[in-house]
Amino acid sequence: MDDKKIQKLIKRVVDVVVSLVVLIPLLPIWVLIAILIKVTSLGPVFFLQERPGLNKQIFKVYKFRTMKLGSDKMVKGLEVMKDDNRITTIGKFLRRSKIDEIPQVLNVLKGEMSLVGPRPERITSLADYDEEISKRLNMNPGMTGLAQVSGNIYLSLEERYKYDVYYVEHYSLLLDLKIIIRTVGVVLFGEGRYVDKCLVKINLGSAEVATTKEETISE
């Protein structure tokens, strides 16, 4: 078994262990969030939507619902703006803290997602994929990813794709660890804190993003 396969095996073990830790001991918090969602807005607790995963296999992604009913029609690349009036009161907190993404540990346990990887997009986005962008589908999508800790909403769709492809082509457990650590920072301080403070060095068209020394949107 080569080094990459060993690392991916370890990655899967970590995915399962961490997901169980998030799911079982924190179940009372899940219940509290569900109650808050139900009493503050009409609609279901969870938002489910089909997304393309590894090798374009379609699966349903789970999230806590953060938007009002009928708000699922959005513009690709700018699905939800920061102060979007379609976001519910509790939804603003859930999105800012990234708690709305927590139910995706169910997708991780099912093997449809990983803790770290390219974020799953809408199925309609596949129509615009070329051979290069399609590389982001060569690994399971993630709850967090390189683009998400490199500016995310402050990046163009094309820039996010470049980070995703870089991640797939340069995957390592060390890179996963750095992304997870940086994700904690994003949750605490916001995505804007890490614009131009990227973990890797890639060419984003006319501008090159420098490596830092730190070891670190749709519904």
Side-chain angles (χ1 to χ4, degrees):
M1 186 178 294
D2 61 36
D3 181 61
K4 287 294 183 181
K5 289 184 177 180
I6 293 175
Q7 291 198 64
K8 288 183 178 180
L9 178 60
I10 296 174
K11 178 183 177 74
R12 178 57 186 159
V13 172
V14 172
D15 281 347
V16 172
V17 172
V18 173
S19 295
L20 289 175
V21 169
V22 172
L23 178 61
I24 299 175
L26 301 183
L27 192 57
I29 296 179
W30 284 53
V31 174
L32 175 60
I33 293 172
I35 293 173
L36 290 174
I37 292 173
K38 290 298 291 184
V39 301
T40 56
S41 64
L42 297 174
V45 170
F46 295 105
F47 173 83
L48 281 70
Q49 190 173 68
E50 291 188 334
R51 302 286 174 95
L54 176 66
N55 299 324
K56 296 185 180 181
Q57 293 183 4
I58 305 302
F59 70 100
K60 287 186 177 180
V61 67
Y62 302 98
K63 298 180 71 173
F64 282 123
R65 182 177 59 83
T66 61
M67 301 185 71
K68 301 171 185 176
L69 289 178
S71 300
D72 57 342
K73 294 182 179 180
M74 306 169 195
V75 178
K76 188 187 71 172
L78 288 174
E79 292 87 352
V80 183
M81 303 303 290
K82 183 177 180 180
D83 298 317
D84 201 308
N85 60 14
R86 295 169 297 179
I87 303 175
T88 63
T89 302
I90 185 64
K92 292 178 181 179
F93 168 72
L94 295 178
R95 296 179 76 92
R96 169 61 185 83
S97 61
K98 306 299 183 184
I99 292 176
D100 64 314
E101 309 281 358
I102 295 300
Q104 288 165 35
V105 297
L106 298 173
N107 293 117
V108 174
L109 287 172
K110 292 167 66 177
E112 299 165 335
M113 291 181 63
S114 178
L115 295 176
V116 181
R119 287 293 296 158
E121 289 200 305
R122 293 169 179 269
I123 294 176
T124 54
S125 298
L126 294 176
D128 299 323
Y129 279 24
D130 57 21
E131 184 176 352
E132 181 68 11
I133 297 174
S134 293
K135 292 178 181 178
R136 70 191 303 279
L137 300 172
N138 291 342
M139 288 189 72
N140 272 340
M143 293 180 63
T144 185
L146 185 57
Q148 282 61 53
V149 300
S150 302
N152 197 23
I153 62 173
Y154 299 94
L155 300 173
S156 68
L157 185 60
E158 180 183 16
E159 289 170 338
R160 276 179 269 170
Y161 284 157
K162 288 186 178 182
Y163 279 112
D164 290 340
V165 171
Y166 178 96
Y167 172 80
V168 172
E169 293 183 333
H170 299 83
Y171 164 74
S172 71
L173 290 174
L174 179 59
L175 181 56
D176 268 15
L177 178 61
K178 291 180 179 180
I179 292 172
I180 290 173
I181 293 174
R182 175 69 72 87
T183 298
V184 176
V186 169
V187 171
L188 294 176
F189 306 112
E191 295 169 337
R193 178 74 170 266
Y194 298 99
V195 176
D196 299 328
K197 295 180 181 179
C198 305
L199 294 174
V200 300
K201 185 177 181 181
I202 66 174
N203 192 303
L204 296 179
S206 59
E208 193 172 69
V209 181
T211 307
T212 68
K213 294 182 179 179
E214 181 183 358
E215 294 295 327
T216 56
I217 306 199
S218 60
E219 163 79 45

